[in-house]
Amino acid sequence: MKFNTKTIHGGQSHDPAYGAVMPPIYQTSTYAQSTPGGHKGYEYSRTHNPTRNALEQAFASIENGRYGLAFSSGLAAIDAVIKLLKPGDEVISTNDLYGGTYRLFTKIFEKFGVKFHFIGMKDAASIESYVNSNTKLIWVETPTNPMMHIIDIQVCASIAKRHGLLLAVDNTFATPYLQQPLDLGADIVMHSATKYLGGHSDVVMGALVVNDEALAAQLYFIQNASGAICGPQDSFLVLRGIKTLHVRMQRHCENGKQIANYLAKHPKIEKVYWPGLESHPNHLIAKTQMRDFGGMISFVTQGNSFEEAIRIVERLKLFTLAESLGGVESLAGHPASMTHASIPKEEREKSGVVDALIRLSVGIEDVDDLIADLEQALG
Ligand SMILES: *Cc1c(COP(=O)(O)O)cnc(C)c1O
């Protein structure tokens, strides 16, 4: 089955009770038993729920994996992965990481004795010098937020294989439409399904997909034991979102390309970060491991003025100033005062998050209207 069919049919079957084409929302916590242990495969909804199971099979299908798991948020999914580890274990993570992931690693798991190394992975081969006998996991996010760095997943996978480590890839920005990390050698794919998979800015959810049966069993155990599951209503919404993922992504990419080219030519703009531009430092890796380049774009205006960047995001009308990304509607953000405000200025600027940096999540509106909005805001 090809990807554009999998988004609609992957892992799905019609409801056995009445043939409902969409999985019903099984809004129940428990299931009747005829005799102790005599049930139809479902006992308690923390452990299993038919609506959630339908979604988990869809997750597995679109990521070309065998096992999918749904969580109450992207961070709950990451939390489950780190719970595979024990005190003394070490993780090599990219330094250009989603802020919430960094906070979870450093403020929660370091307390429990897990050690994290945050390193630049633009040259993925450099990871190897951080591997020691305690290393268990490599954590990668690509493209990264908000600098849109691209990390070579195949190089990371070969290092992980050579040393018997797990490789986990946060595939939130790319989605399986653009890249399928399991096919590139990763062991675990993670999503904030809040973003493109849900696609309509109406639900918070996380996902994991793996191929290895023993690894899946460990993660299902953690999912049930820790209990950060999502409800049936949210499962239904994300399942519905996934059905249009391929058409939404196609338009996100088309609009992204036109806006990146528009910004790259604009006299007031100094830098544009979008992996589809030939000027992007990792453009060649992006071309190899991604099918297209997505709708996430960051840019810096001339003069690096904090006040000017604030004025631009305030003047935007169609682009809503808001956290998050990946919905049908276009959003704009100012990392220095929003997502990255808690990081000291010198630290932020080292990784490129300067005062004038603006991040766009380009939606699927008519691109002429989006460009007109940018034009008036930059004017
Ligand atoms: C939003 C996001 C997360 C966290 O997901 P939540 O659903 O907000 O918990 C993790 N990684 C990336 C890349 C994200 O954009």
Side-chain angles (χ1 to χ4, degrees), residues 74 77 87 116 131 146 153 176 184-185 202 208 217 231 246 260 301 309 311 336 345 366:
F116 295 87
V131 177
I153 296 173
L184 298 171
D202 52 10
L208 297 177
H246 53 299
T301 45
R311 269 196 300 276
K345 187 173 154 89
D366 192 294

Side-chain angles (χ1 to χ4, degrees), residues 97-100 102-103 145-146 306 310 323 333-349 351 353-355 357 359:
L97 201 60
Y98 176 74
Y102 180 78
R103 183 177 56 195
N145 174 30
F306 184 90
I310 299 283
E323 308 270 354
H334 181 243
S337 65
M338 295 168 75
T339 46
H340 292 61
S342 59
I343 305 170
K345 187 173 154 89
E346 308 76 65
E347 281 300 305
R348 278 201 264 114
E349 301 219 324
S351 59
V353 184
V354 296
D355 281 352
L357 187 82
R359 191 192 77 178

Side-chain angles (χ1 to χ4, degrees), residues 73-75 98 141 170 172-173 190 192 194-195 204-205 325:
S73 68
L75 283 172
Y98 176 74
E141 198 180 301
D170 181 338
T172 301
F173 268 40
M190 174 264 151
S192 169
T194 315
K195 317 292 168 54
V204 173
M205 190 184 285
L325 61 112

Side-chain angles (χ1 to χ4, degrees), residues 144-156:
T144 65
N145 174 30
M147 298 310 299
M148 306 302 295
H149 292 309
I150 303 293
I151 297 169
D152 192 325
I153 296 173
Q154 275 174 308
V155 170
C156 296

